[in-house]
Amino acid sequence: MSDRDPTNAEALAAIAGIAMTARDLIERLDRLDFRATGETLDALHEHLAVAGGSALHLANRLGCESEVERLVNEGQQRLKSFRACAGMGAGHE
């Protein structure tokens, strides 16, 4: 592993690759196999953390971190409101 920061293109490629892989995993998942579902969710959890961190690092580098954080927070609030309206409650955050 290199000690240098990834380029913008490398960070975007990592984010896109993780998103595409996550979608593929979900599409191929046998949802009736609870063990496989759990393992897949654990792996996705870790990979999505990497993607999110990479996106925020890139936003910082591009000088738009505060705007990105604001937009993410607004999206999270909309999702929280939708869940509340759908009766899903706050336990699914």
Side-chain angles (χ1 to χ4, degrees), residues 44-93:
L44 287 173
H45 183 266
E46 295 301 317
H47 286 88
L48 291 172
V50 170
S54 296
L56 290 177
H57 180 76
L58 184 57
N60 183 335
R61 182 186 297 169
L62 296 173
C64 59
E65 184 176 26
S66 62
E67 183 178 2
V68 168
E69 286 181 354
R70 178 183 59 79
L71 292 167
V72 168
N73 288 335
E74 287 174 4
Q76 293 297 309
Q77 285 301 317
R78 282 192 301 276
L79 181 59
K80 188 175 182 178
S81 295
F82 171 78
R83 286 180 173 161
C85 289
M88 297 168 79
H92 294 84
E93 294 178 7

mmCIF file of all heavy atoms in Angstrom, residues 44-93:
data_model
loop_
_atom_site.group_PDB
_atom_site.id
_atom_site.type_symbol
_atom_site.label_atom_id
_atom_site.label_comp_id
_atom_site.label_asym_id
_atom_site.label_seq_id
_atom_site.Cartn_x
_atom_site.Cartn_y
_atom_site.Cartn_z
ATOM 1 N N LEU A 44 -20.987 -5.344 3.563
ATOM 2 C CA LEU A 44 -21.469 -4.081 3.009
ATOM 3 C C LEU A 44 -21.270 -2.936 3.997
ATOM 4 O O LEU A 44 -20.901 -1.821 3.609
ATOM 5 C CB LEU A 44 -22.946 -4.191 2.631
ATOM 6 C CG LEU A 44 -23.263 -5.009 1.393
ATOM 7 C CD1 LEU A 44 -24.776 -5.171 1.239
ATOM 8 C CD2 LEU A 44 -22.667 -4.373 0.154
ATOM 9 N N HIS A 45 -21.492 -3.206 5.261
ATOM 10 C CA HIS A 45 -21.312 -2.185 6.302
ATOM 11 C C HIS A 45 -19.894 -1.629 6.258
ATOM 12 O O HIS A 45 -19.683 -0.409 6.276
ATOM 13 C CB HIS A 45 -21.631 -2.804 7.669
ATOM 14 C CG HIS A 45 -21.559 -1.848 8.794
ATOM 15 N ND1 HIS A 45 -20.427 -1.686 9.559
ATOM 16 C CD2 HIS A 45 -22.485 -0.989 9.289
ATOM 17 C CE1 HIS A 45 -20.653 -0.773 10.475
ATOM 18 N NE2 HIS A 45 -21.899 -0.330 10.332
ATOM 19 N N GLU A 46 -18.918 -2.517 6.187
ATOM 20 C CA GLU A 46 -17.515 -2.098 6.149
ATOM 21 C C GLU A 46 -17.185 -1.350 4.857
ATOM 22 O O GLU A 46 -16.537 -0.308 4.880
ATOM 23 C CB GLU A 46 -16.594 -3.307 6.304
ATOM 24 C CG GLU A 46 -16.697 -3.983 7.656
ATOM 25 C CD GLU A 46 -16.365 -3.045 8.804
ATOM 26 O OE1 GLU A 46 -15.376 -2.281 8.700
ATOM 27 O OE2 GLU A 46 -17.092 -3.070 9.815
ATOM 28 N N HIS A 47 -17.642 -1.868 3.738
ATOM 29 C CA HIS A 47 -17.336 -1.241 2.455
ATOM 30 C C HIS A 47 -18.010 0.120 2.311
ATOM 31 O O HIS A 47 -17.436 1.056 1.756
ATOM 32 C CB HIS A 47 -17.725 -2.172 1.300
ATOM 33 C CG HIS A 47 -16.776 -3.314 1.147
ATOM 34 N ND1 HIS A 47 -16.926 -4.491 1.831
ATOM 35 C CD2 HIS A 47 -15.662 -3.439 0.397
ATOM 36 C CE1 HIS A 47 -15.939 -5.300 1.511
ATOM 37 N NE2 HIS A 47 -15.159 -4.686 0.639
ATOM 38 N N LEU A 48 -19.228 0.240 2.807
ATOM 39 C CA LEU A 48 -19.921 1.528 2.733
ATOM 40 C C LEU A 48 -19.245 2.571 3.625
ATOM 41 O O LEU A 48 -19.222 3.758 3.287
ATOM 42 C CB LEU A 48 -21.392 1.368 3.090
ATOM 43 C CG LEU A 48 -22.201 0.582 2.053
ATOM 44 C CD1 LEU A 48 -23.604 0.298 2.584
ATOM 45 C CD2 LEU A 48 -22.255 1.314 0.722
ATOM 46 N N ALA A 49 -18.670 2.140 4.730
ATOM 47 C CA ALA A 49 -17.911 3.064 5.576
ATOM 48 C C ALA A 49 -16.701 3.603 4.819
ATOM 49 O O ALA A 49 -16.387 4.799 4.887
ATOM 50 C CB ALA A 49 -17.475 2.368 6.867
ATOM 51 N N VAL A 50 -16.028 2.725 4.073
ATOM 52 C CA VAL A 50 -14.886 3.151 3.263
ATOM 53 C C VAL A 50 -15.338 4.130 2.183
ATOM 54 O O VAL A 50 -14.711 5.171 1.959
ATOM 55 C CB VAL A 50 -14.171 1.932 2.634
ATOM 56 C CG1 VAL A 50 -13.138 2.373 1.608
ATOM 57 C CG2 VAL A 50 -13.514 1.082 3.719
ATOM 58 N N ALA A 51 -16.442 3.809 1.510
ATOM 59 C CA ALA A 51 -16.947 4.684 0.447
ATOM 60 C C ALA A 51 -17.327 6.054 1.009
ATOM 61 O O ALA A 51 -16.989 7.091 0.430
ATOM 62 C CB ALA A 51 -18.136 4.041 -0.252
ATOM 63 N N GLY A 52 -18.030 6.063 2.129
ATOM 64 C CA GLY A 52 -18.430 7.335 2.735
ATOM 65 C C GLY A 52 -17.232 8.165 3.163
ATOM 66 O O GLY A 52 -17.178 9.375 2.924
ATOM 67 N N GLY A 53 -16.270 7.518 3.778
ATOM 68 C CA GLY A 53 -15.058 8.222 4.189
ATOM 69 C C GLY A 53 -14.292 8.763 3.004
ATOM 70 O O GLY A 53 -13.770 9.888 3.036
ATOM 71 N N SER A 54 -14.221 7.977 1.932
ATOM 72 C CA SER A 54 -13.536 8.425 0.719
ATOM 73 C C SER A 54 -14.242 9.623 0.110
ATOM 74 O O SER A 54 -13.603 10.582 -0.339
ATOM 75 C CB SER A 54 -13.473 7.292 -0.308
ATOM 76 O OG SER A 54 -12.700 6.225 0.183
ATOM 77 N N ALA A 55 -15.568 9.593 0.090
ATOM 78 C CA ALA A 55 -16.338 10.704 -0.470
ATOM 79 C C ALA A 55 -16.118 11.978 0.344
ATOM 80 O O ALA A 55 -15.921 13.064 -0.225
ATOM 81 C CB ALA A 55 -17.814 10.349 -0.530
ATOM 82 N N LEU A 56 -16.136 11.868 1.659
ATOM 83 C CA LEU A 56 -15.916 13.048 2.500
ATOM 84 C C LEU A 56 -14.487 13.574 2.380
ATOM 85 O O LEU A 56 -14.263 14.787 2.373
ATOM 86 C CB LEU A 56 -16.263 12.744 3.955
ATOM 87 C CG LEU A 56 -17.753 12.563 4.233
ATOM 88 C CD1 LEU A 56 -17.979 12.182 5.693
ATOM 89 C CD2 LEU A 56 -18.540 13.810 3.870
ATOM 90 N N HIS A 57 -13.531 12.661 2.255
ATOM 91 C CA HIS A 57 -12.133 13.077 2.057
ATOM 92 C C HIS A 57 -12.006 13.841 0.736
ATOM 93 O O HIS A 57 -11.353 14.886 0.670
ATOM 94 C CB HIS A 57 -11.212 11.853 2.076
ATOM 95 C CG HIS A 57 -9.779 12.187 1.878
ATOM 96 N ND1 HIS A 57 -8.993 12.736 2.874
ATOM 97 C CD2 HIS A 57 -8.977 12.060 0.795
ATOM 98 C CE1 HIS A 57 -7.778 12.930 2.412
ATOM 99 N NE2 HIS A 57 -7.745 12.520 1.149
ATOM 100 N N LEU A 58 -12.646 13.325 -0.301
ATOM 101 C CA LEU A 58 -12.610 13.978 -1.601
ATOM 102 C C LEU A 58 -13.311 15.338 -1.541
ATOM 103 O O LEU A 58 -12.817 16.323 -2.091
ATOM 104 C CB LEU A 58 -13.254 13.084 -2.656
ATOM 105 C CG LEU A 58 -13.225 13.575 -4.089
ATOM 106 C CD1 LEU A 58 -11.801 13.841 -4.568
ATOM 107 C CD2 LEU A 58 -13.893 12.548 -4.997
ATOM 108 N N ALA A 59 -14.441 15.414 -0.855
ATOM 109 C CA ALA A 59 -15.151 16.692 -0.704
ATOM 110 C C ALA A 59 -14.277 17.717 0.008
ATOM 111 O O ALA A 59 -14.236 18.893 -0.386
ATOM 112 C CB ALA A 59 -16.459 16.480 0.057
ATOM 113 N N ASN A 60 -13.557 17.271 1.017
ATOM 114 C CA ASN A 60 -12.639 18.154 1.741
ATOM 115 C C ASN A 60 -11.573 18.678 0.786
ATOM 116 O O ASN A 60 -11.286 19.876 0.747
ATOM 117 C CB ASN A 60 -12.013 17.398 2.907
ATOM 118 C CG ASN A 60 -11.104 18.264 3.744
ATOM 119 O OD1 ASN A 60 -10.551 19.248 3.286
ATOM 120 N ND2 ASN A 60 -10.944 17.881 4.991
ATOM 121 N N ARG A 61 -10.991 17.776 0.015
ATOM 122 C CA ARG A 61 -9.941 18.144 -0.931
ATOM 123 C C ARG A 61 -10.454 19.141 -1.971
ATOM 124 O O ARG A 61 -9.735 20.046 -2.385
ATOM 125 C CB ARG A 61 -9.414 16.899 -1.638
ATOM 126 C CG ARG A 61 -8.279 17.211 -2.595
ATOM 127 C CD ARG A 61 -7.858 16.008 -3.381
ATOM 128 N NE ARG A 61 -7.346 14.973 -2.509
ATOM 129 C CZ ARG A 61 -7.110 13.731 -2.916
ATOM 130 N NH1 ARG A 61 -7.344 13.385 -4.171
ATOM 131 N NH2 ARG A 61 -6.639 12.824 -2.088
ATOM 132 N N LEU A 62 -11.713 18.981 -2.382
ATOM 133 C CA LEU A 62 -12.292 19.850 -3.400
ATOM 134 C C LEU A 62 -12.853 21.147 -2.820
ATOM 135 O O LEU A 62 -13.338 22.002 -3.556
ATOM 136 C CB LEU A 62 -13.390 19.104 -4.161
ATOM 137 C CG LEU A 62 -12.912 17.893 -4.961
ATOM 138 C CD1 LEU A 62 -14.101 17.126 -5.522
ATOM 139 C CD2 LEU A 62 -11.955 18.327 -6.073
ATOM 140 N N GLY A 63 -12.814 21.269 -1.495
ATOM 141 C CA GLY A 63 -13.244 22.497 -0.851
ATOM 142 C C GLY A 63 -14.748 22.637 -0.692
ATOM 143 O O GLY A 63 -15.247 23.754 -0.516
ATOM 144 N N CYS A 64 -15.457 21.527 -0.743
ATOM 145 C CA CYS A 64 -16.920 21.604 -0.612
ATOM 146 C C CYS A 64 -17.433 20.686 0.496
ATOM 147 O O CYS A 64 -18.593 20.281 0.476
ATOM 148 C CB CYS A 64 -17.586 21.279 -1.951
ATOM 149 S SG CYS A 64 -17.190 19.651 -2.609
ATOM 150 N N GLU A 65 -16.594 20.379 1.476
ATOM 151 C CA GLU A 65 -16.966 19.447 2.533
ATOM 152 C C GLU A 65 -18.182 19.929 3.325
ATOM 153 O O GLU A 65 -19.096 19.155 3.587
ATOM 154 C CB GLU A 65 -15.796 19.205 3.481
ATOM 155 C CG GLU A 65 -16.089 18.168 4.541
ATOM 156 C CD GLU A 65 -14.886 17.876 5.410
ATOM 157 O OE1 GLU A 65 -14.011 18.749 5.555
ATOM 158 O OE2 GLU A 65 -14.830 16.762 5.946
ATOM 159 N N SER A 66 -18.220 21.217 3.675
ATOM 160 C CA SER A 66 -19.357 21.691 4.479
ATOM 161 C C SER A 66 -20.658 21.603 3.685
ATOM 162 O O SER A 66 -21.700 21.243 4.237
ATOM 163 C CB SER A 66 -19.118 23.117 4.983
ATOM 164 O OG SER A 66 -18.989 24.019 3.902
ATOM 165 N N GLU A 67 -20.618 21.906 2.384
ATOM 166 C CA GLU A 67 -21.823 21.790 1.565
ATOM 167 C C GLU A 67 -22.258 20.334 1.436
ATOM 168 O O GLU A 67 -23.451 20.020 1.529
ATOM 169 C CB GLU A 67 -21.593 22.386 0.175
ATOM 170 C CG GLU A 67 -22.827 22.353 -0.689
ATOM 171 C CD GLU A 67 -22.617 22.976 -2.057
ATOM 172 O OE1 GLU A 67 -21.502 23.413 -2.372
ATOM 173 O OE2 GLU A 67 -23.600 23.008 -2.816
ATOM 174 N N VAL A 68 -21.296 19.439 1.242
ATOM 175 C CA VAL A 68 -21.610 18.011 1.137
ATOM 176 C C VAL A 68 -22.211 17.517 2.446
ATOM 177 O O VAL A 68 -23.234 16.820 2.443
ATOM 178 C CB VAL A 68 -20.361 17.190 0.743
ATOM 179 C CG1 VAL A 68 -20.608 15.701 0.913
ATOM 180 C CG2 VAL A 68 -19.952 17.515 -0.683
ATOM 181 N N GLU A 69 -21.615 17.883 3.569
ATOM 182 C CA GLU A 69 -22.150 17.465 4.865
ATOM 183 C C GLU A 69 -23.561 17.996 5.072
ATOM 184 O O GLU A 69 -24.432 17.277 5.561
ATOM 185 C CB GLU A 69 -21.225 17.907 5.994
ATOM 186 C CG GLU A 69 -19.955 17.088 6.074
ATOM 187 C CD GLU A 69 -19.044 17.507 7.208
ATOM 188 O OE1 GLU A 69 -19.318 18.521 7.885
ATOM 189 O OE2 GLU A 69 -18.033 16.813 7.401
ATOM 190 N N ARG A 70 -23.811 19.246 4.668
ATOM 191 C CA ARG A 70 -25.148 19.818 4.789
ATOM 192 C C ARG A 70 -26.147 19.027 3.947
ATOM 193 O O ARG A 70 -27.230 18.663 4.421
ATOM 194 C CB ARG A 70 -25.149 21.287 4.352
ATOM 195 C CG ARG A 70 -26.538 21.941 4.407
ATOM 196 C CD ARG A 70 -26.523 23.381 3.889
ATOM 197 N NE ARG A 70 -26.064 23.497 2.508
ATOM 198 C CZ ARG A 70 -26.808 23.227 1.428
ATOM 199 N NH1 ARG A 70 -28.040 22.798 1.572
ATOM 200 N NH2 ARG A 70 -26.309 23.381 0.215
ATOM 201 N N LEU A 71 -25.779 18.718 2.708
ATOM 202 C CA LEU A 71 -26.668 17.970 1.824
ATOM 203 C C LEU A 71 -26.916 16.553 2.339
ATOM 204 O O LEU A 71 -28.040 16.047 2.274
ATOM 205 C CB LEU A 71 -26.102 17.940 0.403
ATOM 206 C CG LEU A 71 -26.092 19.292 -0.312
ATOM 207 C CD1 LEU A 71 -25.239 19.227 -1.574
ATOM 208 C CD2 LEU A 71 -27.498 19.747 -0.616
ATOM 209 N N VAL A 72 -25.875 15.918 2.862
ATOM 210 C CA VAL A 72 -26.036 14.583 3.440
ATOM 211 C C VAL A 72 -26.980 14.649 4.633
ATOM 212 O O VAL A 72 -27.891 13.825 4.760
ATOM 213 C CB VAL A 72 -24.668 13.976 3.829
ATOM 214 C CG1 VAL A 72 -24.843 12.733 4.690
ATOM 215 C CG2 VAL A 72 -23.856 13.651 2.583
ATOM 216 N N ASN A 73 -26.779 15.623 5.499
ATOM 217 C CA ASN A 73 -27.652 15.768 6.671
ATOM 218 C C ASN A 73 -29.094 16.014 6.266
ATOM 219 O O ASN A 73 -30.023 15.454 6.871
ATOM 220 C CB ASN A 73 -27.150 16.882 7.584
ATOM 221 C CG ASN A 73 -25.885 16.503 8.312
ATOM 222 O OD1 ASN A 73 -25.598 15.325 8.521
ATOM 223 N ND2 ASN A 73 -25.094 17.495 8.678
ATOM 224 N N GLU A 74 -29.300 16.843 5.241
ATOM 225 C CA GLU A 74 -30.663 17.086 4.758
ATOM 226 C C GLU A 74 -31.285 15.796 4.231
ATOM 227 O O GLU A 74 -32.450 15.509 4.494
ATOM 228 C CB GLU A 74 -30.657 18.149 3.655
ATOM 229 C CG GLU A 74 -30.403 19.544 4.161
ATOM 230 C CD GLU A 74 -30.248 20.567 3.043
ATOM 231 O OE1 GLU A 74 -30.414 20.216 1.850
ATOM 232 O OE2 GLU A 74 -29.952 21.734 3.357
ATOM 233 N N GLY A 75 -30.508 15.020 3.488
ATOM 234 C CA GLY A 75 -31.006 13.743 2.977
ATOM 235 C C GLY A 75 -31.334 12.775 4.096
ATOM 236 O O GLY A 75 -32.354 12.070 4.049
ATOM 237 N N GLN A 76 -30.503 12.744 5.122
ATOM 238 C CA GLN A 76 -30.755 11.875 6.271
ATOM 239 C C GLN A 76 -32.024 12.300 7.004
ATOM 240 O O GLN A 76 -32.787 11.452 7.468
ATOM 241 C CB GLN A 76 -29.552 11.876 7.218
ATOM 242 C CG GLN A 76 -28.311 11.228 6.641
ATOM 243 C CD GLN A 76 -28.526 9.759 6.356
ATOM 244 O OE1 GLN A 76 -28.977 9.011 7.212
ATOM 245 N NE2 GLN A 76 -28.208 9.341 5.139
ATOM 246 N N GLN A 77 -32.242 13.603 7.107
ATOM 247 C CA GLN A 77 -33.467 14.093 7.759
ATOM 248 C C GLN A 77 -34.703 13.718 6.946
ATOM 249 O O GLN A 77 -35.730 13.345 7.512
ATOM 250 C CB GLN A 77 -33.401 15.612 7.967
ATOM 251 C CG GLN A 77 -32.485 16.026 9.091
ATOM 252 C CD GLN A 77 -32.897 15.418 10.430
ATOM 253 O OE1 GLN A 77 -34.071 15.373 10.776
ATOM 254 N NE2 GLN A 77 -31.920 14.932 11.175
ATOM 255 N N ARG A 78 -34.622 13.810 5.612
ATOM 256 C CA ARG A 78 -35.752 13.403 4.763
ATOM 257 C C ARG A 78 -36.031 11.920 4.944
ATOM 258 O O ARG A 78 -37.185 11.503 5.039
ATOM 259 C CB ARG A 78 -35.465 13.720 3.289
ATOM 260 C CG ARG A 78 -35.653 15.178 2.938
ATOM 261 C CD ARG A 78 -35.651 15.418 1.438
ATOM 262 N NE ARG A 78 -34.436 14.984 0.780
ATOM 263 C CZ ARG A 78 -33.315 15.682 0.678
ATOM 264 N NH1 ARG A 78 -33.248 16.896 1.194
ATOM 265 N NH2 ARG A 78 -32.263 15.198 0.045
ATOM 266 N N LEU A 79 -34.976 11.115 4.998
ATOM 267 C CA LEU A 79 -35.140 9.678 5.200
ATOM 268 C C LEU A 79 -35.765 9.392 6.563
ATOM 269 O O LEU A 79 -36.671 8.562 6.683
ATOM 270 C CB LEU A 79 -33.798 8.961 5.069
ATOM 271 C CG LEU A 79 -33.803 7.450 5.220
ATOM 272 C CD1 LEU A 79 -34.723 6.801 4.187
ATOM 273 C CD2 LEU A 79 -32.392 6.908 5.088
ATOM 274 N N LYS A 80 -35.308 10.090 7.575
ATOM 275 C CA LYS A 80 -35.864 9.925 8.923
ATOM 276 C C LYS A 80 -37.341 10.301 8.944
ATOM 277 O O LYS A 80 -38.159 9.593 9.538
ATOM 278 C CB LYS A 80 -35.073 10.796 9.905
ATOM 279 C CG LYS A 80 -35.400 10.581 11.346
ATOM 280 C CD LYS A 80 -34.470 11.421 12.217
ATOM 281 C CE LYS A 80 -34.735 11.202 13.668
ATOM 282 N NZ LYS A 80 -33.815 11.978 14.512
ATOM 283 N N SER A 81 -37.709 11.390 8.262
ATOM 284 C CA SER A 81 -39.112 11.807 8.188
ATOM 285 C C SER A 81 -39.942 10.775 7.440
ATOM 286 O O SER A 81 -41.061 10.453 7.854
ATOM 287 C CB SER A 81 -39.228 13.166 7.488
ATOM 288 O OG SER A 81 -38.609 14.153 8.247
ATOM 289 N N PHE A 82 -39.409 10.257 6.341
ATOM 290 C CA PHE A 82 -40.121 9.233 5.582
ATOM 291 C C PHE A 82 -40.365 8.007 6.442
ATOM 292 O O PHE A 82 -41.466 7.462 6.459
ATOM 293 C CB PHE A 82 -39.337 8.849 4.327
ATOM 294 C CG PHE A 82 -39.904 7.648 3.629
ATOM 295 C CD1 PHE A 82 -41.028 7.768 2.832
ATOM 296 C CD2 PHE A 82 -39.314 6.397 3.783
ATOM 297 C CE1 PHE A 82 -41.573 6.663 2.191
ATOM 298 C CE2 PHE A 82 -39.848 5.279 3.149
ATOM 299 C CZ PHE A 82 -40.982 5.413 2.355
ATOM 300 N N ARG A 83 -39.334 7.573 7.157
ATOM 301 C CA ARG A 83 -39.488 6.402 8.018
ATOM 302 C C ARG A 83 -40.533 6.634 9.094
ATOM 303 O O ARG A 83 -41.315 5.748 9.415
ATOM 304 C CB ARG A 83 -38.146 6.028 8.648
ATOM 305 C CG ARG A 83 -37.200 5.390 7.680
ATOM 306 C CD ARG A 83 -35.907 5.061 8.360
ATOM 307 N NE ARG A 83 -35.045 4.288 7.476
ATOM 308 C CZ ARG A 83 -33.745 4.173 7.647
ATOM 309 N NH1 ARG A 83 -33.150 4.774 8.664
ATOM 310 N NH2 ARG A 83 -33.036 3.452 6.803
ATOM 311 N N ALA A 84 -40.533 7.833 9.660
ATOM 312 C CA ALA A 84 -41.523 8.147 10.695
ATOM 313 C C ALA A 84 -42.932 8.109 10.115
ATOM 314 O O ALA A 84 -43.850 7.564 10.725
ATOM 315 C CB ALA A 84 -41.231 9.512 11.305
ATOM 316 N N CYS A 85 -43.102 8.659 8.916
ATOM 317 C CA CYS A 85 -44.420 8.659 8.267
ATOM 318 C C CYS A 85 -44.851 7.251 7.862
ATOM 319 O O CYS A 85 -46.031 6.931 7.859
ATOM 320 C CB CYS A 85 -44.406 9.549 7.027
ATOM 321 S SG CYS A 85 -44.315 11.301 7.418
ATOM 322 N N ALA A 86 -43.868 6.406 7.553
ATOM 323 C CA ALA A 86 -44.171 5.046 7.135
ATOM 324 C C ALA A 86 -44.344 4.110 8.328
ATOM 325 O O ALA A 86 -44.552 2.916 8.154
ATOM 326 C CB ALA A 86 -43.068 4.521 6.213
ATOM 327 N N GLY A 87 -44.229 4.651 9.538
ATOM 328 C CA GLY A 87 -44.391 3.844 10.734
ATOM 329 C C GLY A 87 -43.210 2.975 11.055
ATOM 330 O O GLY A 87 -43.315 2.004 11.797
ATOM 331 N N MET A 88 -42.062 3.316 10.497
ATOM 332 C CA MET A 88 -40.865 2.506 10.719
ATOM 333 C C MET A 88 -40.124 2.932 11.976
ATOM 334 O O MET A 88 -39.247 2.242 12.446
ATOM 335 C CB MET A 88 -39.941 2.582 9.498
ATOM 336 C CG MET A 88 -40.598 2.010 8.249
ATOM 337 S SD MET A 88 -39.692 2.383 6.742
ATOM 338 C CE MET A 88 -38.396 1.163 6.830
ATOM 339 N N GLY A 89 -40.439 4.087 12.499
ATOM 340 C CA GLY A 89 -39.883 4.541 13.749
ATOM 341 C C GLY A 89 -38.420 4.914 13.685
ATOM 342 O O GLY A 89 -37.759 4.800 12.676
ATOM 343 N N ALA A 90 -37.915 5.351 14.826
ATOM 344 C CA ALA A 90 -36.546 5.822 14.918
ATOM 345 C C ALA A 90 -35.554 4.682 15.126
ATOM 346 O O ALA A 90 -34.360 4.900 15.054
ATOM 347 C CB ALA A 90 -36.418 6.824 16.052
ATOM 348 N N GLY A 91 -36.013 3.491 15.368
ATOM 349 C CA GLY A 91 -35.096 2.380 15.640
ATOM 350 C C GLY A 91 -34.396 1.847 14.401
ATOM 351 O O GLY A 91 -33.573 0.969 14.494
ATOM 352 N N HIS A 92 -34.701 2.398 13.222
ATOM 353 C CA HIS A 92 -34.110 1.910 11.982
ATOM 354 C C HIS A 92 -33.173 2.928 11.354
ATOM 355 O O HIS A 92 -33.097 3.079 10.170
ATOM 356 C CB HIS A 92 -35.219 1.568 10.974
ATOM 357 C CG HIS A 92 -36.054 0.440 11.414
ATOM 358 N ND1 HIS A 92 -37.110 0.614 12.274
ATOM 359 C CD2 HIS A 92 -36.000 -0.890 11.140
ATOM 360 C CE1 HIS A 92 -37.680 -0.575 12.495
ATOM 361 N NE2 HIS A 92 -37.017 -1.485 11.826
ATOM 362 N N GLU A 93 -32.447 3.657 12.157
ATOM 363 C CA GLU A 93 -31.573 4.728 11.656
ATOM 364 C C GLU A 93 -30.266 4.191 11.181
ATOM 365 O O GLU A 93 -29.602 3.412 11.633
ATOM 366 C CB GLU A 93 -31.335 5.790 12.724
ATOM 367 C CG GLU A 93 -32.628 6.517 13.031
ATOM 368 C CD GLU A 93 -32.457 7.559 14.114
ATOM 369 O OE1 GLU A 93 -31.331 7.817 14.543
ATOM 370 O OE2 GLU A 93 -33.454 8.117 14.526
#
